[in-house]
Amino acid sequence: GLITDITERKAAEARAREVQERELELARDVQQHLLPSRFPALPGIDVEVLSQPSLQLGGDYYDVLRVDERHQGFVIADVSGKGAPAALMMASCRASLRLLAPGELSPGAVLRRVNRAIQPDMPPGMYITLFYGILNLDTLALRFCRAGHEAGLLLRAGGGAPVLLGDGGMALGMAPDELFDATLDEGRVVLEPGDLLALYTDGINEACNASGEEFGRDRLADALRRHQKEPLADILRRFDRYLRQFCTLAPRHDDRALLVVRAR
């Protein structure tokens, strides 16, 4: 009887694990459908992304949003934490952005409205860092805001030091409207042909090697700069190989996303 009881209990546990794994697979498929698998053909610019969740469900979010006929929005975001809670908040952030971005040419105005929408429902201790830029497709002028996220990295076609985009405001969901609004700044830069804009989550620059050394923003800029004139898909393949070699034998604990935009 004892042997039968143990056998039945193990079988029940195995069935429960199978159900849980199927549910996680389904949730992962749903989340992947929320992220763009391909980008629209846009005049004057090319767009490509590298995305690597650390678990089945990730908290990184990237998107390309149509603001109006002549303006396109670019988003990179990182939800604190991992797994299902981060994935749910990522979906909430995406829904708010897609609802509020069309027709609004000020990235600051959009992020203030997004914070008003999600902050009351944000679980304690969670927040979302986000970079949002709106590009004028005629003039290639980019207006941008940084809500506690990593600074955008602009590599000029003519060389020189990388340009860091955005003073750091507060992350979404961390503070009520008045404080969030007061810390959010809006910047502007004009892209030139051949310029490369890199938006990334901290899983890229904070990736560590076996000795605990971080990959860092300088290595990111150098790796992109070496192949800046190549097709964007090739740049990301080379970068991915370089990052994996740097992190050999080191465990990966964070999601990684790198969105690159190049002016033609």
Side-chain angles (χ1 to χ4, degrees):
L2 180 61
I3 293 172
T4 301
D5 180 64
I6 292 174
T7 302
E8 291 178 350
R9 188 169 1 121
K10 285 185 175 180
E13 290 172 353
R15 288 194 297 270
R17 282 195 300 271
E18 289 176 4
V19 170
Q20 187 179 36
E21 288 171 2
R22 284 199 299 270
E23 289 178 344
L24 281 173
E25 262 320 299
L26 179 59
R28 182 179 182 275
D29 290 343
V30 170
Q31 186 181 45
Q32 288 302 306
H33 282 296
L34 296 179
L35 298 171
S37 58
R38 63 181 63 183
F39 298 107
L42 299 171
I45 59 170
D46 298 313
V47 188
E48 193 57 76
V49 70
L50 172 69
S51 177
Q52 297 171 341
S54 61
L55 302 174
Q56 283 185 301
L57 296 175
D60 283 1
Y61 166 55
Y62 58 87
D63 215 342
V64 176
L65 307 172
R66 185 181 186 275
V67 177
D68 63 25
E69 187 176 337
R70 303 311 306 165
H71 293 84
Q72 204 75 23
F74 298 93
V75 185
I76 192 87
D78 187 359
V79 184
S80 63
K82 301 179 185 66
L88 288 171
M89 292 312 303
M90 183 275 275
S92 175
C93 178
R94 174 190 183 272
S96 297
L97 266 172
R98 290 203 158 209
L99 177 66
L100 297 169
E104 177 54 70
L105 299 182
S106 167
V110 172
L111 295 192
R112 290 182 180 97
R113 292 170 189 164
V114 170
N115 190 64
R116 290 187 183 94
I118 68 175
Q119 194 273 333
D121 299 323
M122 185 72 69
M126 288 192 72
Y127 56 86
I128 303 172
T129 68
L130 186 144
F131 184 104
Y132 178 47
I134 299 176
L135 184 67
N136 184 316
L137 298 176
D138 293 323
T139 65
L140 294 184
L142 178 74
R143 297 174 65 180
F144 56 87
C145 272
R146 182 162 77 108
H149 197 76
E150 300 292 332
L153 195 64
L154 178 60
L155 302 177
R156 294 293 192 182
V163 180
L164 298 182
L165 303 184
D167 294 327
M170 296 189 70
L172 293 160
M174 286 190 71
D177 305 343
E178 297 80 7
L179 183 55
F180 179 85
D181 294 356
T183 62
L184 195 65
D185 292 321
E186 192 169 300
R188 182 181 183 276
V189 69
V190 177
L191 305 186
E192 301 291 342
D195 287 354
L196 184 69
L197 172 65
L199 306 178
Y200 52 97
T201 58
D202 60 12
I204 297 286
N205 56 298
E206 293 181 4
C208 291
N209 61 17
S211 301
E213 181 185 7
E214 289 190 351
F215 186 73
R217 186 187 291 145
D218 291 341
R219 284 192 180 90
L220 168 61
D222 291 343
L224 296 177
R225 174 77 79 192
R226 281 200 293 270
H227 308 285
Q228 187 168 345
K229 296 181 181 180
E230 298 179 16
L232 294 186
D234 292 343
I235 294 176
L236 292 182
R237 274 194 295 270
R238 292 178 184 275
F239 174 78
D240 182 38
R241 189 182 307 122
Y242 179 39
L243 182 60
R244 289 176 185 271
Q245 289 173 348
F246 178 84
C247 298
T248 299
L249 302 180
R252 182 154 67 92
H253 302 295
D254 204 358
D255 305 324
R256 296 172 184 166
L258 171 60
L259 181 71
V260 289
V261 181
R262 184 169 57 197
R264 294 197 207 108

